[in-house]
mmCIF file with all atom_site columns, all heavy atoms in Angstrom:
data_model
loop_
_atom_site.group_PDB
_atom_site.id
_atom_site.type_symbol
_atom_site.label_atom_id
_atom_site.label_alt_id
_atom_site.label_comp_id
_atom_site.label_asym_id
_atom_site.label_entity_id
_atom_site.label_seq_id
_atom_site.pdbx_PDB_ins_code
_atom_site.Cartn_x
_atom_site.Cartn_y
_atom_site.Cartn_z
_atom_site.occupancy
_atom_site.B_iso_or_equiv
_atom_site.pdbx_formal_charge
_atom_site.auth_seq_id
_atom_site.auth_comp_id
_atom_site.auth_asym_id
_atom_site.auth_atom_id
_atom_site.pdbx_PDB_model_num
ATOM 1  N N   . SER X 1 39 ? 8.883  16.482 -13.714 1.00 0.00 ? 44 SER X N   1
ATOM 2  C CA  . SER X 1 39 ? 7.885  16.327 -12.654 1.00 0.00 ? 44 SER X CA  1
ATOM 3  C C   . SER X 1 39 ? 6.493  16.057 -13.198 1.00 0.00 ? 44 SER X C   1
ATOM 4  O O   . SER X 1 39 ? 5.639  15.506 -12.497 1.00 0.00 ? 44 SER X O   1
ATOM 5  C CB  . SER X 1 39 ? 7.857  17.583 -11.773 1.00 0.00 ? 44 SER X CB  1
ATOM 6  O OG  . SER X 1 39 ? 7.540  18.730 -12.552 1.00 0.00 ? 44 SER X OG  1
ATOM 7  N N   . ASN X 1 40 ? 6.232  16.414 -14.456 1.00 0.00 ? 45 ASN X N   1
ATOM 8  C CA  . ASN X 1 40 ? 4.926  16.176 -15.062 1.00 0.00 ? 45 ASN X CA  1
ATOM 9  C C   . ASN X 1 40 ? 4.893  14.886 -15.877 1.00 0.00 ? 45 ASN X C   1
ATOM 10 O O   . ASN X 1 40 ? 3.914  14.618 -16.586 1.00 0.00 ? 45 ASN X O   1
ATOM 11 C CB  . ASN X 1 40 ? 4.542  17.350 -15.964 1.00 0.00 ? 45 ASN X CB  1
ATOM 12 C CG  . ASN X 1 40 ? 3.057  17.637 -15.936 1.00 0.00 ? 45 ASN X CG  1
ATOM 13 O OD1 . ASN X 1 40 ? 2.426  17.586 -14.886 1.00 0.00 ? 45 ASN X OD1 1
ATOM 14 N ND2 . ASN X 1 40 ? 2.481  17.964 -17.080 1.00 0.00 ? 45 ASN X ND2 1
ATOM 15 N N   . ALA X 1 41 ? 5.938  14.073 -15.757 1.00 0.00 ? 46 ALA X N   1
ATOM 16 C CA  . ALA X 1 41 ? 6.046  12.858 -16.578 1.00 0.00 ? 46 ALA X CA  1
ATOM 17 C C   . ALA X 1 41 ? 4.904  11.883 -16.307 1.00 0.00 ? 46 ALA X C   1
ATOM 18 O O   . ALA X 1 41 ? 4.351  11.287 -17.243 1.00 0.00 ? 46 ALA X O   1
ATOM 19 C CB  . ALA X 1 41 ? 7.394  12.183 -16.316 1.00 0.00 ? 46 ALA X CB  1
ATOM 20 N N   . LEU X 1 42 ? 4.542  11.703 -15.045 1.00 0.00 ? 47 LEU X N   1
ATOM 21 C CA  . LEU X 1 42 ? 3.457  10.773 -14.723 1.00 0.00 ? 47 LEU X CA  1
ATOM 22 C C   . LEU X 1 42 ? 2.130  11.274 -15.282 1.00 0.00 ? 47 LEU X C   1
ATOM 23 O O   . LEU X 1 42 ? 1.326  10.486 -15.794 1.00 0.00 ? 47 LEU X O   1
ATOM 24 C CB  . LEU X 1 42 ? 3.363  10.582 -13.213 1.00 0.00 ? 47 LEU X CB  1
ATOM 25 C CG  . LEU X 1 42 ? 2.187  9.732  -12.702 1.00 0.00 ? 47 LEU X CG  1
ATOM 26 C CD1 . LEU X 1 42 ? 2.223  8.341  -13.317 1.00 0.00 ? 47 LEU X CD1 1
ATOM 27 C CD2 . LEU X 1 42 ? 2.202  9.653  -11.184 1.00 0.00 ? 47 LEU X CD2 1
ATOM 28 N N   . VAL X 1 43 ? 1.896  12.568 -15.201 1.00 0.00 ? 48 VAL X N   1
ATOM 29 C CA  . VAL X 1 43 ? 0.667  13.147 -15.752 1.00 0.00 ? 48 VAL X CA  1
ATOM 30 C C   . VAL X 1 43 ? 0.582  12.868 -17.244 1.00 0.00 ? 48 VAL X C   1
ATOM 31 O O   . VAL X 1 43 ? -0.455 12.439 -17.760 1.00 0.00 ? 48 VAL X O   1
ATOM 32 C CB  . VAL X 1 43 ? 0.615  14.666 -15.478 1.00 0.00 ? 48 VAL X CB  1
ATOM 33 C CG1 . VAL X 1 43 ? -0.590 15.296 -16.169 1.00 0.00 ? 48 VAL X CG1 1
ATOM 34 C CG2 . VAL X 1 43 ? 0.579  14.936 -13.983 1.00 0.00 ? 48 VAL X CG2 1
ATOM 35 N N   . GLU X 1 44 ? 1.673  13.102 -17.954 1.00 0.00 ? 49 GLU X N   1
ATOM 36 C CA  . GLU X 1 44 ? 1.676  12.914 -19.408 1.00 0.00 ? 49 GLU X CA  1
ATOM 37 C C   . GLU X 1 44 ? 1.498  11.451 -19.772 1.00 0.00 ? 49 GLU X C   1
ATOM 38 O O   . GLU X 1 44 ? 0.768  11.122 -20.726 1.00 0.00 ? 49 GLU X O   1
ATOM 39 C CB  . GLU X 1 44 ? 2.978  13.462 -19.979 1.00 0.00 ? 49 GLU X CB  1
ATOM 40 C CG  . GLU X 1 44 ? 3.112  14.971 -19.811 1.00 0.00 ? 49 GLU X CG  1
ATOM 41 C CD  . GLU X 1 44 ? 4.482  15.481 -20.221 1.00 0.00 ? 49 GLU X CD  1
ATOM 42 O OE1 . GLU X 1 44 ? 5.326  14.653 -20.637 1.00 0.00 ? 49 GLU X OE1 1
ATOM 43 O OE2 . GLU X 1 44 ? 4.727  16.704 -20.130 1.00 0.00 ? 49 GLU X OE2 1
ATOM 44 N N   . ALA X 1 45 ? 2.160  10.552 -19.042 1.00 0.00 ? 50 ALA X N   1
ATOM 45 C CA  . ALA X 1 45 ? 2.015  9.126  -19.320 1.00 0.00 ? 50 ALA X CA  1
ATOM 46 C C   . ALA X 1 45 ? 0.600  8.654  -19.031 1.00 0.00 ? 50 ALA X C   1
ATOM 47 O O   . ALA X 1 45 ? 0.010  7.874  -19.799 1.00 0.00 ? 50 ALA X O   1
ATOM 48 C CB  . ALA X 1 45 ? 3.023  8.330  -18.496 1.00 0.00 ? 50 ALA X CB  1
ATOM 49 N N   . ASN X 1 46 ? 0.027  9.128  -17.933 1.00 0.00 ? 51 ASN X N   1
ATOM 50 C CA  . ASN X 1 46 ? -1.335 8.737  -17.558 1.00 0.00 ? 51 ASN X CA  1
ATOM 51 C C   . ASN X 1 46 ? -2.358 9.241  -18.568 1.00 0.00 ? 51 ASN X C   1
ATOM 52 O O   . ASN X 1 46 ? -3.344 8.567  -18.863 1.00 0.00 ? 51 ASN X O   1
ATOM 53 C CB  . ASN X 1 46 ? -1.646 9.283  -16.159 1.00 0.00 ? 51 ASN X CB  1
ATOM 54 C CG  . ASN X 1 46 ? -3.028 8.897  -15.677 1.00 0.00 ? 51 ASN X CG  1
ATOM 55 O OD1 . ASN X 1 46 ? -3.347 7.723  -15.537 1.00 0.00 ? 51 ASN X OD1 1
ATOM 56 N ND2 . ASN X 1 46 ? -3.859 9.901  -15.408 1.00 0.00 ? 51 ASN X ND2 1
#
Side-chain angles (χ1 to χ4, degrees):
S44 59
N45 215 41
L47 175 58
V48 174
E49 295 173 0
N51 181 61

